Amino acid sequence: MRQLIAGNWKMNGLLADSLELASAVVKGAAALPCDVLVCPPATVLRAVAGKVAGTAVAVGGQDCHAKEKGAHTGDISAAMLKDAGASAVILGHSERRTDHGESSPEVRAKVVAAVACGLLPIVCVGETEAERLAGRQEDVVRAQVWDSLPDGFAGVIAYEPVWAIGTGRTPTEADVAAMHACIRAVLLERLGEGGRRLRILYGGSVKPANARTLLALPEVGGALVGGASLAAADFLAIAAAAAD
Ligand code: 13P
């Protein structure tokens, strides 16, 4: 399966910057050996989706509510994301789990809502530094994968060690490979054969300088890129490093 390079713009970008960034990504995206997704803030998602329509670049949201609609001030439903032009949504990012106290069962409910609207869910998991130092990283991630996925899950997993996000630090190649193998084993156990071909992205300080090495590791099905996705040249360089 082609690798997926996804840019998580997080809470960055007013309309003009976002359209400029999207245009620059589109310009470089045509000949890339991978699928490309950008996940802008909800306020500019429709405009970005309009800008990339008909190109190789897809658009995703960064979160959605588990409910279809109702009295949930400030929240956004999966149907709203779809209506605005999204084809995917990031769910259970560690910043959501930390800032908003999202539990894995809540993430699972969001996955169900996203799938019901035809969105590709990208479910994030990853251990904290304390958990890794205690040697608990595989137990933590295994539980997150197990509890965040509904039966029959057919989306994407993103392994993002919390301590590697925005820090410039990454796990060793052996540690990434070991965790991706662990996640694959959990997917097979949880989903049966359906878990064999799901893409497992790596995320956390992916840069042009380390992308080729990370993307060549076994069971790495792409990258979820934060900071480096805000500069089109860096994001495109990472995408160009994808293994085809
Ligand atoms: P950075 O690439 O900035 O470390 O962020 C990773 C991330 O959280 C992507 O979702």
Side-chain angles (χ1 to χ4, degrees):
M1 190 181 281
R2 271 155 75 89
Q3 291 191 318
L4 169 64
I5 307 300
N8 177 6
W9 295 1
K10 306 192 180 182
M11 197 174 70
N12 295 289
L14 304 182
L15 184 60
D17 320 323
S18 300
L19 291 177
E20 201 178 310
L21 177 54
S23 297
V25 170
V26 163
K27 275 203 194 92
L32 290 171
C34 57
D35 295 337
V36 176
L37 175 74
V38 293
C39 300
T43 47
V44 300
L45 196 148
R46 184 183 298 278
V48 169
K51 183 59 90 178
V52 308
T55 76
V57 180
V59 177
Q62 299 178 9
D63 175 52
C64 71
H65 198 278
K67 292 265 167 57
E68 222 172 286
K69 59 182 167 184
H72 302 287
T73 302
D75 279 313
I76 293 170
S77 72
M80 290 169 182
L81 290 177
K82 180 82 176 175
D83 184 54
S87 58
V89 60
I90 298 168
L91 294 170
H93 191 282
S94 67
E95 287 151 14
R96 303 273 333 162
R97 291 178 188 262
T98 304
D99 296 355
H100 301 271
E102 283 185 15
S103 66
S104 291
E106 284 165 346
V107 174
R108 184 171 68 231
K110 293 180 175 206
V111 173
V112 171
V115 171
C117 289
L119 297 176
L120 176 75
I122 301 173
V123 175
C124 302
V125 295
E127 81 285 358
T128 63
E129 182 153 42
E131 288 162 344
R132 178 163 283 271
L133 288 173
R136 295 182 49 233
Q137 67 275 8
E138 292 200 353
D139 291 344
V140 167
V141 169
R142 155 177 266 280
Q144 287 176 336
V145 173
W146 197 272
D147 294 342
S148 300
L149 304 188
D151 293 346
F153 177 78
V156 174
I157 302 285
Y159 169 54
E160 300 204 302
V162 177
W163 53 272
I165 294 175
T167 59
R169 297 162 60 205
T170 55
T172 65
E173 293 170 40
D175 286 343
V176 172
M179 186 59 87
H180 280 239
C182 167
I183 292 171
R184 178 68 66 202
V186 182
L187 290 177
L188 286 168
E189 202 181 328
R190 179 78 173 77
L191 304 168
E193 274 309 297
R196 191 171 300 285
R197 287 181 55 76
L198 302 186
R199 287 179 287 196
I200 307 169
L201 313 185
Y202 170 78
S205 297
V206 179
K207 309 286 177 205
N210 61 19
R212 193 166 295 281
T213 306
L214 289 164
L215 289 166
L217 293 171
E219 297 288 12
V220 172
L224 183 53
V225 185
S229 73
L230 298 174
D234 286 352
F235 184 62
L236 290 166
I238 291 167
D244 48 12

